[in-house]
């Protein structure tokens, strides 16, 4: 039996060696090794950028442990990708560097100069991605107009601190935020001109609902009151002023509520799976909710509070 297995193995090997050499869609011997560089923001950083170009952002770069030998790296630099009205342009915005991990201080005014951008408009986005040059002279850009972003397939990698690998970070230009313009009485987009009162609250959500690294002084609490979903509702939410997203915990908004005209019982009206954001340009509160009422769900919706004054 043992001799038979050896003979079978020899025959299989002979069969493979007798075949023509497999042709790959690229020259395997000519493939050049590259480097994977992780880019991220300091913990608790947001995604908002001022239209006056006054921001200075910290950008952190390091190399994953899985990278292994990166002695082929000559230097790295930072590329900015600017999006305006769906059109993208890019530029190198830092000098070369080779020490990792490193933290770069990036002035948006300098970045705009290198991109040739004189004015930032609301909705404009600037993304940063690492690019590098190898000892061989090969330049590998983090973004190109033909290929898009590089190293996207490594997104599942874990860094030594447990965070996920990232090939880019982004900032979006928002209109100036004026807190007073989000307090008062607004109109709900339910087709009935329902009026909703919005007041400020000083309490904070449970710690589990606050994103990692977001300090409490960056949160603004809001209480919405009115016939928003069940009737006589009270919804608490918090504006994260780092990126103008909304923190909306699962909560009871209408205790002991009875469905009008139906003998279905009395249950607490709850909402869950909520998310949202404020629009600093149009000064609206936009959020999604999913409803729970005892054993029933009363649906879900994207809601907007507008014309607040």
């Amino acid at each position: 039996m043992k001799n038979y297995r050896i003979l079978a193995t020899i025959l299989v090997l002979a069969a493979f060696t007798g075949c023509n050499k497999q042709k790959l869609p690229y020259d395997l011997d000519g493939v050049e090794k590259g480097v994977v560089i992780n880019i991220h923001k300091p913990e608790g950083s947001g995604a908002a950028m001022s239209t006056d170009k006054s921001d200075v952002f910290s950008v952190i770069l390091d190399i994953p442990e899985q990278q292994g030998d990166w002695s082929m790296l000559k230097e790295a630099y930072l590329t900015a990708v600017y999006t305006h009205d769906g059109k993208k342009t890019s530029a190198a915005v830092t000098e070369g560097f080779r020490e990792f991990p490193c933290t770069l201080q990036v002035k948006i005014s300098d970045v705009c100069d290198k991109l040739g951008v004189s004015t930032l408009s609301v909705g404009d986005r600037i993304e940063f991605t690492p690019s590098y040059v190898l000892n061989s002279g090969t330049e590998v850009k983090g973004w190109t107009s033909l290929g898009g972003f590089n190293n996207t397939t490594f997104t599942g990698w874990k860094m030594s601190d447990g965070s996920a690998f990232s090939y880019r970070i982004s900032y979006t230009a928002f209109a100036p935020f004026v807190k007073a313009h989000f307090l008062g009485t607004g109109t709900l987009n339910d087709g009935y001109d329902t009026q909703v009162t919005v007041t400020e609250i000083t309490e904070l959500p449970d710690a589990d609902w606050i994103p990692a690294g977001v300090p409490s002084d960056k949160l603004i609490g809001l209480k919405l009151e009115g016939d928003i979903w069940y009737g006589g509702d009270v919804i608490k939410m918090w504006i994260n002023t780092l990126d103008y997203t909304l923190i909306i915990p699962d909560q009871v908004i209408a205790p002991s509520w009875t469905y009008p005209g139906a003998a279905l019982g009395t249950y607490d009206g709850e909402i869950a799976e909520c998310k949202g954001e404020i629009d600093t340009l149009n000064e609206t509160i936009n959020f999604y909710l999913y409803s729970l009422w005892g054993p029933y769900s009363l649906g879900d919706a994207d809601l907007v509070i507008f014309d607040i004054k």
Side-chain angles (χ1 to χ4, degrees):
M1 180 66 72
K2 184 182 295 185
N3 290 338
Y4 173 79
R5 287 179 177 170
I6 293 174
L7 178 60
T9 302
I10 293 173
L11 290 173
V12 170
L13 290 174
F16 276 100
T17 56
C19 295
N20 292 331
K21 186 176 180 180
Q22 181 182 7
K23 292 182 179 181
L24 298 175
Y26 52 84
D27 176 15
L28 184 60
D29 294 332
V31 172
E32 191 164 20
K33 294 181 179 179
V35 178
V36 176
I37 302 174
N38 177 53
I39 182 170
H40 59 104
K41 305 173 185 178
E43 190 176 69
S45 298
M49 178 174 61
S50 301
T51 54
D52 63 5
K53 303 186 291 186
S54 62
D55 292 301
V56 179
F57 294 118
S58 294
V59 178
I60 302 173
L61 297 107
D62 49 11
I63 292 182
E65 290 181 350
Q66 303 98 315
Q67 173 64 44
D69 178 23
W70 46 278
S71 60
M72 76 288 291
L73 176 67
K74 179 181 179 181
E75 64 178 11
Y77 62 92
L78 201 62
T79 294
V81 182
Y82 170 66
T83 304
H84 174 74
D85 286 342
K87 297 180 180 179
K88 295 181 182 290
T89 56
S90 68
V93 294
T94 67
E95 299 295 327
F97 54 88
R98 199 180 184 280
E99 298 296 324
F100 296 92
C102 65
T103 301
L104 308 177
Q105 300 300 316
V106 181
K107 296 176 65 175
I108 293 299
S109 58
D110 291 346
V111 172
C112 287
D113 286 344
K114 293 183 178 180
L115 287 164
V117 175
S118 58
T119 304
L120 281 177
S121 303
V122 172
D124 286 358
R125 185 170 69 249
I126 296 180
E127 299 164 282
F128 295 103
T129 187
S131 299
Y132 59 85
V133 180
L134 299 175
N135 291 327
S136 64
T138 299
E139 183 178 19
V140 181
K141 295 184 177 181
W143 180 87
T144 63
S145 58
L146 292 177
F149 284 99
N150 192 17
N151 286 339
T152 59
T153 56
F154 296 99
T155 303
W157 278 15
K158 291 295 183 183
M159 302 300 294
S160 57
D161 63 357
S163 63
F165 169 83
S166 175
Y167 59 89
R168 70 175 178 93
I169 58 174
S170 67
Y171 299 92
T172 301
F174 286 81
F177 168 65
V178 182
K179 181 175 69 173
H181 294 179
F182 290 86
L183 302 174
T185 299
T187 302
L188 180 67
N189 67 325
D190 60 355
Y192 300 99
D193 292 332
T194 299
Q195 298 297 287
V196 177
T197 302
V198 185
T199 55
E200 184 175 6
I201 55 176
T202 57
E203 66 187 86
L204 293 172
D206 291 342
D208 291 344
W209 288 97
I210 302 177
V214 176
S216 59
D217 62 356
K218 297 298 182 181
L219 301 180
I220 296 176
L222 302 179
K223 180 169 68 173
L224 278 56
E225 298 178 272
D227 291 343
I228 302 169
W229 196 253
Y230 296 98
D233 310 305
V234 177
I235 301 178
K236 294 180 180 179
M237 58 181 63
W238 287 261
I239 303 171
N240 175 2
T241 57
L242 291 176
D243 58 9
Y244 302 122
T245 56
L246 289 171
I247 300 170
I248 312 175
D250 297 350
Q251 58 191 286
V252 173
I253 68 171
S256 302
W257 187 79
T258 302
Y259 197 101
L264 298 176
T266 298
Y267 307 98
D268 288 340
E270 304 177 56
I271 58 173
E273 301 177 17
C274 304
K275 57 185 178 181
E277 61 185 8
I278 62 168
D279 182 336
T280 58
L281 178 62
N282 297 302
E283 297 182 332
T284 60
I285 301 171
N286 316 303
F287 61 103
Y288 165 86
L289 62 78
Y290 174 75
S291 66
L292 298 167
W293 183 63
Y296 310 100
S297 167
L298 298 186
D300 61 345
D302 291 298
L303 303 178
V304 180
I305 310 295
F306 61 96
D307 195 23
I308 305 169
K309 55 192 174 183

